Each structure stands twice: as C-alpha cells, then as structure tokens.
Amino acid sequence: MSRTAPGVRARRPEDVAGCVAALRAVHDADRYPTAWPADPAAWLDPDGLTAAWVAEVDGAIVGHVCVAAAADAAVVADTGVPADLLVAVKRLFTTPAARGRGVAAALVAAAAAGAGEGLWLDVVDGEPAVAFYERLGWRRVDTRPADWMAQDGRRRTVHVYVAP
C-alpha cells in the first residue's frame, strides 16, 4: 500500500462494494465482526443509521465508520444530553494494511464532527479498541454485561465511552 495519506469522506452508495471487501479483510485477520454477516452490505447500515464515512488511499476503501441514533441511560446520566439526541459509533474498521497510519483516528474524528454532542460507543472488554479510544480522550462512563451473546454462548463485558 502506498504511503499516501488517507482521505476521509462521506460514504456514497458506490462505496459499498469496497467497504464489503475491506470488511472481509478485517474479518479474515481479526474476526470482526465475529460472525461473517449473511448480508455484509446490509450489516454496514445498522438500525438508526444517520451518517457513514469511508477512508480511502489511492482510490481503495481502507476504513469505515458510521453513527446511528441510539439511546443509553448511562450516557444520558453522565452527559445530560437527551436520549433522542444520542448517536453511537458503529461499524468502525480499518484494513490490516492501513493500520498505524491514523486511519481509525481520522474516521472517529469525522464521526465526532458530524455527530455533534451525544456521541458514544461501547467496546468489548479486553479488545485493543479500549486503549485506542482512551488514547483519543474518550471517557468511560459505564461497564456492564453486553446485551448480546457471543458465538461461544458467553455474555461479554462492554465498556461505554463518551466522546471527549
């Protein structure tokens, strides 16, 4: 991959195939998402989607992030932002070849700039993303059992963060 700086822009319909290819590379390397979705293009658009961005280098999609309307009681209690104004970071990934180049940080910055106040996310305990968000200044406001079960049948612990 060239050393060209990644560009971040709003996702367009014609980007979906490139996003799916990038997601496939991430899944093969990292098992994210844990289970390959039956419809990966639809997986890129979670319920409540309000906006999405891609990162590209030399015309190739190397990362993705989106935000979706999502209320969370701990975030409301901590920030005072009304539940109907909260949006959550979703579907953030960067290809293995693009890592270490600031792609994920640029995508998160785009999401933060586009979402306004009330941006939050959750991260599975023990994942490298915990350290990543803490380096970016995100603040942990809650730790709790996930509201989903992992493929192994266990309930994971997630940490909830609010944007700096």
Side-chain angles (χ1 to χ4, degrees):
M1 171 169 284
S2 95
R3 295 307 298 174
T4 303
V8 174
R9 61 172 173 73
R11 189 182 79 194
R12 300 185 294 245
E14 59 269 23
D15 295 327
V16 172
C19 291
V20 169
L23 181 64
R24 180 46 132 187
V26 171
H27 175 74
D28 289 348
D30 305 324
R31 289 293 174 238
Y32 175 80
T34 304
W36 184 251
D39 184 349
W43 183 87
L44 294 169
D45 292 343
D47 289 342
L49 178 75
T50 59
W53 298 265
V54 295
E56 62 182 351
V57 173
D58 298 332
I61 303 291
V62 297
H64 176 275
V65 70
C66 63
V67 293
D72 185 89
V75 176
V76 170
D78 183 80
T79 65
V81 175
D84 62 335
L85 296 181
L86 295 180
V87 291
V89 172
K90 303 280 186 184
R91 312 309 196 240
L92 172 63
F93 57 88
T94 61
T95 61
R99 294 188 187 145
R101 300 179 57 193
V103 174
L107 286 164
V108 169
E117 68 176 330
L119 185 62
W120 68 279
L121 55 87
D122 60 11
V123 179
V124 175
D125 181 52
E127 292 293 324
V130 170
F132 168 73
Y133 287 113
E134 289 179 356
R135 275 194 312 275
L136 293 180
W138 287 65
R139 188 170 45 81
R140 188 182 304 184
V141 297
D142 196 18
T143 297
R144 60 182 175 233
D147 60 3
W148 46 267
M149 300 295 280
Q151 281 187 303
D152 63 8
R154 296 185 309 163
R155 190 169 305 278
R156 300 290 193 252
T157 298
V158 295
H159 304 296
V160 176
Y161 288 86
V162 294

